[in-house]
Amino acid sequence: MGEPPHLLADRTLEALGLAVAPREDPLVYPGAWPAESGLLDGDRLLPLTRRTFPGRVPVLAVGSNASPAQLRHKMRQYELSSPIPLVKARVTGLEIGVSAHVSALGYVSAAPFRAPGHTRELFLTWLDPAQLAAIDASEGVTRPSGAYDRVVLPSTGFRVEPEPEPGDPSDPYDSGDSGGSDGSGGSGGSDSSGGSLDGVHLYVNRHGVLQDGTGTPRVHPGERRLLAQLLAESAGLRKLFGSTPEEFCSRARGDLRLCAEATRLFAREGRTTASGLEKYVRGQQTGSPGTGESLSPPWR
């Protein structure tokens, strides 16, 4: 990208502290997120000179898909090597909750829930068709029994505002209400207000999310803390997975039967609630470009 070789070496995931994927160590879930926007190019995270990418699909990452190491792991599984832009964005209307299922990768993953008026920073991944197909497969979109569906966020009630272009003195975070959107998805684009991005995609959990005991979706605090909390709260979960986060990950990893039983346990114990995003799931979603039905799904 025009940088001297010694600077490129400093941009490796290893040098940046971003090299460990949750698929390799479940207790680090959701993995380390970058400190700034960047272009994931193999083992390096390079500077970005743009914040939008026509022809690619903007997909919000609420869990490990914001981890460069996890993205690298997924892309290598499908022998994909093209770069992936990760762009910081201010998002209004969403929060990061806890999926109401246990992954056979050994962790309880994140899932978004609707949080009107709430604003937080997330990453947008801009994916080409092959990359989108790979992520869809990893999330189970193409399988009826998969954990997630991919939806297109409407402009009503949600705002996704990418950070300013480098050197741009204007502040897109200071724009007014976003204009309308038909929710058809596609490559994404700024609306007439100049700040909010239309056509943003999001993975929504089909099982719902876990609630905090009051009926309110609980926020994902990081995997080790989350597992300690869940095990302390449920004798049934301890019977399945042991009493420590380490035991949980060890027993869950690769055991589809045990993970399915835990997912049913969450429902039986009344620990699940709706994310508030279910109404945006469309029956034709799996037929949209890039879903890649021919890809074999890995564990989620």
Side-chain angles (χ1 to χ4, degrees):
M1 303 297 287
E3 292 188 342
H6 72 281
L7 291 182
L8 290 179
D10 292 339
R11 304 295 301 190
T12 63
L13 299 189
E14 187 72 34
L16 295 171
L18 302 172
V20 181
R23 288 182 166 216
E24 299 164 341
D25 183 353
L27 282 177
V28 307
Y29 185 93
W33 292 9
E36 58 189 6
S37 298
L39 182 72
L40 178 62
D41 186 5
D43 294 324
R44 301 174 299 172
L45 189 68
L46 304 175
L48 272 180
T49 58
R50 299 168 54 191
R51 295 297 181 262
T52 58
F53 298 84
R56 287 174 171 256
V57 176
V59 184
L60 271 177
V62 301
S64 65
N65 286 337
S67 162
Q70 189 86 324
L71 286 175
R72 177 180 61 179
H73 194 290
K74 291 185 178 186
M75 293 304 108
R76 284 178 174 174
Q77 181 166 12
Y78 292 109
E79 300 181 345
L80 301 176
S81 59
S82 56
I84 300 178
L86 289 90
V87 175
K88 275 189 174 181
R90 192 166 78 170
V91 180
T92 301
L94 294 174
E95 181 55 294
I96 301 177
V98 180
S99 63
H101 86 291
V102 176
S103 167
L105 288 162
Y107 47 69
V108 179
S109 56
F113 65 87
R114 187 172 186 181
H118 178 73
T119 298
R120 64 161 299 142
E121 191 173 78
L122 294 172
F123 275 91
L124 277 168
T125 56
W126 289 83
L127 305 177
D128 67 25
Q131 293 165 347
L132 184 63
I135 300 298
D136 273 1
S138 78
E139 304 293 340
V141 171
T142 56
R143 291 176 291 133
S145 61
Y148 291 85
D149 273 312
R150 177 162 51 86
V151 308
V152 179
L153 279 179
S155 58
T156 303
F158 303 95
R159 288 182 63 82
V160 179
E161 303 164 280
E163 68 178 4
E165 299 278 350
D168 184 353
S170 64
D171 183 1
Y173 292 173
D174 195 31
S175 58
D177 291 339
S178 62
S181 169
D182 63 4
S184 60
S187 61
S190 296
D191 66 17
S192 59
S193 69
S196 187
L197 190 68
D198 290 333
V200 174
H201 294 230
L202 178 72
Y203 291 103
V204 175
N205 197 283
R206 289 169 170 153
H207 301 284
V209 294
L210 297 185
Q211 51 102 353
D212 62 5
T214 70
T216 302
R218 69 193 303 161
V219 175
H220 201 300
E223 195 65 18
R224 184 179 294 274
R225 184 178 175 187
L226 172 66
L227 294 181
Q229 291 172 351
L230 294 178
L231 290 168
E233 294 166 3
S234 172
L237 208 60
R238 293 193 298 274
K239 183 177 180 181
L240 293 177
F241 295 105
S243 59
T244 68
E246 289 80 6
E247 287 180 289
F248 185 106
C249 294
S250 177
R251 294 188 189 185
R253 192 169 179 83
D255 194 328
L256 295 171
R257 182 200 61 78
L258 195 62
C259 291
E261 176 57 30
T263 301
R264 292 190 290 268
L265 178 67
F266 286 150
R268 288 199 306 271
E269 292 185 342
R271 304 169 73 83
T272 66
T273 190
S275 69
L277 300 168
E278 292 81 4
K279 62 184 177 180
Y280 304 118
V281 175
R282 299 180 299 169
Q284 70 270 31
Q285 183 61 59
T286 56
S288 61
T291 53
E293 293 182 4
S294 62
L295 293 181
S296 59
W299 295 332
R300 176 63 178 87

